Amino acid sequence: MPKVQAEELRRIGRALLVANGVPEAEAATVARHVVNANLAGHDSHGVIMLPNYIERVRVGHIVPGAPFTIVQESPTTTVVDGNWGFGYVINERAMALTIEKASSQNIAACTVFRQGHVGRLASYPLMAAEAGMIGMAWADSGRSPKGVAPFGGREARLGTNPWAIAVPSDLDGAFCMDFATSAVAMGKVKLAEARGQEIPRGWVVDSEGDLTTDPKKIKGGALLPLGGAGEGYKGTALAAMGEVFCGILTGLGFGVEPTGRHNDGCFLIAIKVEAFRPLLAFRKEVADFAHYLKDTPPAKGSSGVLYPGEVEHLAQRKRAAEGIEIEDATWAKLRALAAEGGVAAELGLG
């Protein structure tokens, strides 16, 4: 697999998107988000997604340059129609607006509908944490095809419906949680398929409802909810609440709409820490708490405790220095898109 520096991947991503009609500023935003996902170790949300996004632009499922429409608002709430724009662009702007409102009102919330895939969900709460706030984001895929079977079932009826929270602290890395409410994100199954790897038993059931380690058998099958075959009722409950906040509260609804157009609904919150405690004291205590967790004696066979978000921090530090490995199948697709767009020579991908 080729190993590529982050800035070079951003340059490639921008150029491929611009070659397919995406405005320069939007292309830069999308490229920044996907490469940041790679840096954090979440390759399932990284540049592997670029060919998919470009295909969605070509068929009209994503609309470059789409307007950002505020449907209704109050001093503490906003309802945003993304008009089928890039989720990275629309959701980032919606989170920035939510942070702005919370700065004067102490807490603010926003719903977003009719937008493309928003990628690594932690990106948006992290914006709030950088502003001295607690940020939260929840997402679902509207009425686009589902991938997760509810506990006790074998047919997909739920989205992976990720949930993320980030908290300001004095740590070197962000104190942040970000996880799908399924046993695993769908992108990790697709990544394993692209790399020709098996998946752990307990992620997926095939069309007959049997557990499988073959990622290709997700076709006709389904992801299991968080907790798997044993305690998947917990993941099912979280996913169902995600559908309520991000599908029903946004007005997207539930179930599957036949066109299959991907439609991320999001629920965003920003909470100003200083409305409750002095920010500096809060940041210090969160860091102290993280160190308290890390000081736990390790279990047998464990290298020790990591605080929430530390895995991503370590991955980012390593990959920023050493480069990002891109699986051959994805690299081949990027090269093909460069040739199609007439930018292969410019990008050194000829």
Side-chain angles (χ1 to χ4, degrees), residues 209-259:
D210 294 320
L211 293 171
T212 179
T213 60
D214 184 352
K216 295 185 181 69
K217 291 189 175 179
I218 188 69
K219 297 178 180 69
L223 294 171
L224 289 175
L226 184 67
E231 296 193 344
Y233 58 89
K234 297 177 181 177
T236 296
L238 283 170
M241 288 298 178
E243 296 279 350
V244 170
F245 276 88
C246 305
I248 296 175
L249 188 63
T250 61
L252 290 176
F254 62 92
V256 177
E257 194 274 321
T259 66

Side-chain angles (χ1 to χ4, degrees), residues 275-329:
F276 301 90
R277 289 194 63 193
L279 178 59
L280 293 180
F282 179 84
R283 289 174 58 97
K284 179 181 181 303
E285 194 161 344
V286 171
D288 290 344
F289 172 56
H291 292 304
Y292 168 74
L293 294 178
K294 289 182 64 61
D295 285 342
T296 306
K300 186 177 291 187
S302 168
S303 58
V305 173
L306 298 175
Y307 63 79
E310 190 173 8
V311 168
E312 289 83 356
H313 170 61
L314 295 174
Q316 184 172 13
R317 190 167 63 185
K318 178 180 174 65
R319 290 182 170 200
E322 299 178 3
I324 298 163
E325 284 190 338
I326 307 299
E327 56 280 352
D328 292 334

Side-chain angles (χ1 to χ4, degrees), residues 15-40:
L16 295 180
L17 290 162
V18 169
N20 283 274
V22 180
E24 180 72 38
E26 291 196 358
T29 297
V30 175
R32 169 169 49 84
H33 275 272
V34 296
V35 174
N36 282 351
N38 282 122
L39 282 170

